[in-house]
Amino acid sequence: MSKIGFIGLGIMGRPMAGHLMEAGHELVTYVKYGSLDEGLAAKGMKEVDSPKAVAEQAEIIITMVPDTPDVEEVLIGEGGIVEGLQPGTLVIDMSSIAPIPTQAFAKRITEAGGEYVDAPVSGGEGGAVNATLTIMVGGTNEGFNRALPVLEVMGKTITHIGDHGAGQICKVANQIVVALTIQAAAEGLLFASKAGADVTKVREALLGGLAQSKILDVHGERMIKRTFDPGFRIRLHQKDLNLALESARSLNLSLPGTANAQQLFQACAANNGADWDHAGIVKALEKLADHEIGA
């Protein structure tokens, strides 16, 4: 078993850390992102006062923080991981951040004597709680093989996409597909509702045909039942789509559907919905239609 530093005890990080402790690993954390709850403390998770102190005590370090600047601060900011990094330490960033800075972070950690892997996840809070996350990995073959036993404790589908940054590229693609599919499910159910059909039965029928998807199953139910507690917050999906659109501009690539989904998320945020689950995109469409699903 390993001594693991885990930074980022948020809605997903807490259950992920819990699975690692249940598997017998010893965990140490720096609490700025999220909180060290009684359950993790009772299992023996220790708290230190800086990312540097985490690095001084850990063989493997996992970061699960909100955005690119947060990863930069934790890794290479004042009192950051790189200052306390031990030779051969494996750093696994499971945050969802920009691919190009990820490559720069990997270079800094490698130059400092560590091994770097980017391993963003998909599956939301449910996947974190049930240890069924999909994990997209960028890094060397050696880094992937070292990380795999740890990742298998937290996830179910783990794929080595390519070199440093490739995991983040895959995650951006994932978030594009998820956003557009949530929007499609919302538009389909909204159409059915306003046209007078029973949306519960419409969803049931669609789940048996080509339109079937996990998103229609999970988020379609959220839309019908009006349960918009996260889950995965709209403001975080906005951040991911910003990464997609910024990267698309640098690639001279047009992503019109992504841009449209981002505008709908922005409409939700403008109506105090930044912390709704991303299924709440339906509420922006409902305002445009002057109709609520199931009404």
Side-chain angles (χ1 to χ4, degrees):
M1 297 297 103
S2 301
K3 189 161 188 179
I4 298 176
F6 198 109
I7 300 176
L9 299 176
I11 194 170
M12 294 179 66
R14 282 194 298 273
M16 292 163 67
H19 294 311
L20 291 168
M21 298 194 77
E22 288 164 8
H25 297 290
E26 183 181 349
L27 264 64
V28 59
T29 189
Y30 162 66
V31 179
K32 176 179 178 181
Y33 304 93
S35 60
L36 176 56
D37 62 25
E38 291 181 2
L40 291 174
K43 291 177 183 177
M45 179 178 271
K46 297 177 182 177
E47 181 180 353
V48 294
D49 62 2
S50 69
K52 176 184 176 182
V54 170
E56 289 171 342
Q57 298 185 34
E59 308 161 54
I60 298 171
I61 303 168
I62 295 172
T63 53
M64 184 65 175
V65 298
D67 205 348
T68 307
D70 303 302
V71 176
E72 181 175 17
E73 179 182 355
V74 166
L75 291 180
I76 59 178
E78 184 178 353
I81 284 169
V82 74
E83 294 182 12
L85 196 70
Q86 306 301 302
T89 299
L90 174 64
V91 178
I92 307 172
D93 178 37
M94 304 189 76
S95 319
S96 295
I97 65 169
I100 292 175
T102 290
Q103 294 168 352
F105 299 152
K107 184 178 180 181
R108 286 291 301 273
I109 294 298
T110 301
E111 289 174 346
E115 181 82 47
Y116 189 91
V117 167
D118 50 290
V121 305
S122 180
E125 182 183 7
V129 169
N130 296 313
T132 56
L133 292 167
T134 294
I135 306 176
M136 300 152 263
V137 185
T140 64
N141 288 331
E142 180 183 354
F144 174 74
N145 290 331
R146 285 185 63 192
L148 186 58
V150 174
L151 299 178
E152 286 176 333
V153 175
M154 300 175 284
K156 184 176 181 181
T157 303
I158 302 163
T159 307
H160 187 194
I161 306 298
D163 207 349
H164 297 123
Q168 297 295 353
I169 292 170
C170 185
K171 178 58 188 289
V172 170
N174 178 84
Q175 296 303 81
I176 292 170
V177 173
V178 169
L180 270 63
T181 308
I182 293 175
Q183 180 182 335
E187 291 188 12
L189 294 177
L190 181 60
F191 164 79
S193 177
K194 189 149 189 179
D198 182 329
V199 286
T200 300
K201 292 182 178 178
V202 168
R203 172 177 163 275
E204 181 181 341
L206 294 178
L207 286 172
L210 191 58
Q212 191 277 334
S213 71
K214 185 173 183 179
I215 284 170
L216 180 61
D217 184 11
V218 175
H219 294 302
E221 183 177 44
R222 284 179 178 269
M223 295 171 193
I224 292 168
K225 292 186 175 179
R226 321 305 294 171
T227 52
F228 298 118
D229 293 334
F232 187 73
R233 289 178 171 86
I234 280 175
R235 61 179 170 82
L236 295 178
H237 210 147
Q238 284 184 284
K239 178 261 295 182
D240 292 340
L241 295 192
N242 280 337
L243 295 177
L245 294 169
E246 289 165 6
S247 298
R249 280 192 292 273
S250 70
L251 294 168
N252 198 26
L253 175 66
S254 176
L255 299 176
T258 304
N260 188 61
Q262 182 71 305
Q263 288 298 306
L264 290 170
F265 281 141
Q266 183 58 41
C268 292
N271 285 275
N272 300 312
D275 286 319
W276 296 339
D277 182 84
H278 51 177
I281 198 171
V282 71
K283 298 178 81 170
L285 293 164
E286 289 171 338
K287 280 189 173 291
L288 293 172
D290 192 27
H291 177 84
E292 184 178 296
I293 283 178

